[in-house]
Amino acid sequence: MKRTDAIEIIAAAKSGAISVATMSAVADWYKTDGAKERHVDNVGCMGGAAPIGLGLALAQPDRKVIVIDGDGSLLMQLGVLASIAGARPSNLHHVLLVNRVYETSGNQPIPGGDSVDFAGLARSAGYQRTESFSDAGVLAERLSSIFDQPGPTFVAIEVDPETDGVSGSQVARPADPAGHLRSQLTS
């Protein structure tokens, strides 16, 4: 499936949650209005989305937190899987877009790209629930109910690498990011 299709499905299931998007997902997240409220960008810090999401989930236990992560980014901080599983935030939903390349830097293959089972890694780390999807219709049918269940949950979505030349670092952001973040998280 295309990344844009996956992002549209995730945005439709957001339902007032706080979101954290990383790298290539950021531009599409803005296009779907996923970033319209209660959103944090993670650009320029591969591997930072899940730790930020964990902190937000622990600080805001009454709000759902959805992390839209990339496989190359997650590989930079694999230890976060154990940190999330150990903290057991029931409001955290970790969504991983799996395209098996470092897309923002030129589509180089990720290490172990053909064999890494990301949902299996999350399951082994101790996530409450893990799921994998490659079909947009099945994802659209099931994602909202997954987000309604206690976490931490991990959802791996197989997507095609994009070659449009747009990276998350090219997304226009507010002139006052700290003020924007405060207003987003308190709304």
Side-chain angles (χ1 to χ4, degrees), residues 6-58:
I7 294 285
E8 287 175 5
I9 294 166
I10 298 163
K14 181 179 177 184
S15 185
I18 298 170
S19 60
V20 180
T22 194
M23 308 304 283
S24 295
V26 170
D28 290 329
W29 194 240
Y30 276 86
K31 289 177 192 172
T32 64
D33 281 340
K36 187 165 73 174
E37 60 182 25
R38 291 184 284 285
H39 173 71
V40 179
D41 287 340
N42 177 68
V43 177
C45 180
M46 290 182 77
I52 291 169
L54 174 59
L56 289 169
L58 295 174

Side-chain angles (χ1 to χ4, degrees), residues 19-171:
S19 60
V20 180
T22 194
M23 308 304 283
S24 295
V26 170
D28 290 329
W29 194 240
Y30 276 86
K31 289 177 192 172
T32 64
D33 281 340
K36 187 165 73 174
E37 60 182 25
R38 291 184 284 285
H39 173 71
V40 179
D41 287 340
N42 177 68
V43 177
C45 180
M46 290 182 77
I52 291 169
L54 174 59
L56 289 169
L58 295 174
Q60 299 278 321
D62 295 330
R63 288 203 171 158
K64 273 190 239 181
V65 176
I66 299 171
V67 173
I68 303 102
D69 210 346
D71 53 358
S73 290
L74 180 59
L75 283 175
M76 298 290 181
Q77 296 287 340
L78 263 182
V80 75
L81 295 176
S83 296
I84 290 171
R88 303 194 73 67
S90 63
N91 58 330
L92 181 64
H93 305 284
H94 191 173
V95 179
L96 185 71
L97 302 176
V98 181
N99 63 11
R100 308 210 179 264
V101 297
Y102 289 115
E103 190 173 294
T104 60
S105 63
N107 287 351
Q108 302 88 351
I110 62 169
D114 292 338
S115 60
V116 175
D117 174 4
F118 290 99
L121 291 172
R123 187 178 315 105
S124 294
Y127 273 66
Q128 183 74 16
R129 178 179 182 163
T130 63
E131 300 277 348
S132 295
F133 295 94
S134 59
D135 181 276
V138 175
L139 177 65
E141 181 181 304
R142 297 194 43 218
L143 190 60
S144 288
S145 66
I146 291 169
F147 287 168
D148 287 340
Q149 296 181 24
T153 62
F154 186 90
V155 177
I157 305 171
E158 293 283 340
V159 296
D160 301 325
E162 301 282 331
T163 57
D164 61 4
V166 176
S167 74
S169 62
Q170 296 169 329
V171 174

